[in-house]
Amino acid sequence: MTATGINRLKLTYIGGPTALLEVGGLRLLTDPAFDPAGEEYCTDAYSLRKTAGPALDPASLGRIDVVLLSHDHHFDNLDHMGRIVLKGARTILTTKEGAGRLGAPAVGLSPWQSVDLPSGDGRVLRVTGTPARHGPVGGDRGPVTGFVLSRPESAEGAIYISGDTVWYEGIAEVSRRFAVWIAILFMGAARVPEVGQAHLTFTAQEGIEAARAFSDAAIIPLHYDGWAHFTESRRQITDAFDSAGLGYRLQWIEYNPATLMRLDEPSPLLQ
């Protein structure tokens, strides 16, 4: 690991797919979902039920420089209060399709397309869109993007945020292009019976495949609870990683405590 990569990350877990990342003076929010527990979202094809509310009220967030929105068309990734949060963000990075629906200041990223953001430390943070497939071949639930945060001068020390995706070749390609030090994986094996029995986000076993591909990365599970359609719990994920001899790679972030992670020195998880 060289000092040219990202060297500090402060991560606050808010719940579901929502976390606040503070990198180089920039404040980045993943998929904003801030509605209270008990909300139900019904469409013509399916319904989703929220079982846990956020750890933080949107009013307490403070400045949001960038929202990293994996997709805008599912309520568990962007709910009613989340759309209000979007209005206060300086920049929204999402899919091309999502940017078209949301309008400015949303910017759509194709896979491997990057934008450079000036950061408060006098440097630049590069955000690259990454491939994602929200379900099985021929049965995915619409366009989704993941993200890699890195420095333009180095692919090392990168942070990967999967968005809603299953394990497939597109994720393996991310591991070949970037030296990822932190992999934030949307897990929980989401299943919506109305649209089929296939899982739509990482299963525990797919998380293990990702951990093996991102061989130097600490694995932070996100979006594995708080909604009724998740079918694998934290305990099941932990047990699967333990059985694979990879339990030490998991880094669980509890709701709301801010965890400072130094990425320019060996992680204690890997020692």
Side-chain angles (χ1 to χ4, degrees):
M1 180 68 59
T2 67
T4 56
I6 294 171
N7 56 22
R8 290 171 75 89
L9 165 66
K10 183 179 180 181
L11 189 151
T12 304
Y13 183 35
I14 297 169
T18 312
L20 179 65
L21 291 77
E22 298 175 66
V23 179
L26 286 173
R27 308 180 86 244
L28 306 97
L29 186 73
T30 62
D31 293 2
F34 285 93
D35 287 351
E39 291 290 312
E40 190 160 357
Y41 309 85
C42 298
T43 73
D44 292 339
Y46 62 87
S47 62
L48 301 178
R49 181 167 58 87
K50 192 169 190 179
T51 60
L56 293 178
D57 184 272
S60 66
L61 283 176
R63 184 190 85 250
I64 299 298
D65 298 308
V66 181
V67 172
L68 302 173
L69 179 61
S70 68
H71 58 304
D72 71 311
H73 56 279
H74 290 150
F75 286 107
D76 59 324
N77 298 86
L78 181 64
D79 60 16
H80 300 306
M81 285 300 298
R83 289 184 179 272
I84 294 174
V85 170
L86 287 187
K87 295 178 181 179
R90 297 180 182 179
T91 302
I92 303 162
L93 300 178
T94 188
T95 62
K96 293 283 189 181
E97 295 82 357
R101 286 186 288 263
L102 294 170
V107 176
L109 295 179
S110 300
W112 315 123
Q113 182 179 358
S114 298
V115 295
D116 288 347
L117 306 171
S119 55
D121 60 2
R123 302 173 68 189
V124 169
L125 180 69
R126 175 164 290 171
V127 182
T128 302
T130 60
R133 197 183 76 207
H134 198 359
V137 174
D140 71 272
R141 303 302 299 159
V144 176
T145 186
F147 304 94
V148 167
L149 312 181
S150 62
R151 297 295 189 185
E153 63 270 20
S154 175
E156 295 189 347
I159 300 166
Y160 170 57
I161 304 163
S162 72
D164 277 7
T165 187
V166 297
W167 169 260
Y168 78 114
E169 175 58 26
I171 312 304
E173 181 63 21
V174 177
S175 73
R176 289 191 286 267
R177 293 192 183 211
F178 295 92
V180 171
W181 201 240
I182 294 287
I184 300 173
L185 304 183
F186 286 23
M187 299 192 70
R191 288 182 171 90
V192 180
E194 297 97 324
V195 301
Q197 293 303 311
H199 61 278
L200 307 176
T201 58
F202 279 110
T203 64
Q205 288 302 317
E206 289 180 336
I208 289 167
E209 290 300 315
R212 288 171 174 154
F214 298 107
S215 57
D216 290 328
I219 306 298
I220 299 180
L222 222 64
H223 206 23
Y224 57 88
D225 66 359
W227 294 81
H229 56 283
F230 288 112
T231 63
E232 291 184 353
S233 67
R234 172 171 172 168
R235 171 49 54 193
Q236 289 171 297
I237 296 168
T238 299
D239 287 348
F241 270 72
D242 285 345
S243 295
L246 295 173
Y248 71 101
R249 298 276 302 282
L250 283 175
Q251 175 72 66
W252 294 99
I253 305 297
E254 306 299 335
Y255 277 48
N256 192 15
T259 301
L260 182 63
M261 312 185 83
R262 295 181 181 274
L263 307 185
D264 58 349
E265 55 192 44
S267 168
L269 295 174
L270 308 181
Q271 292 178 349

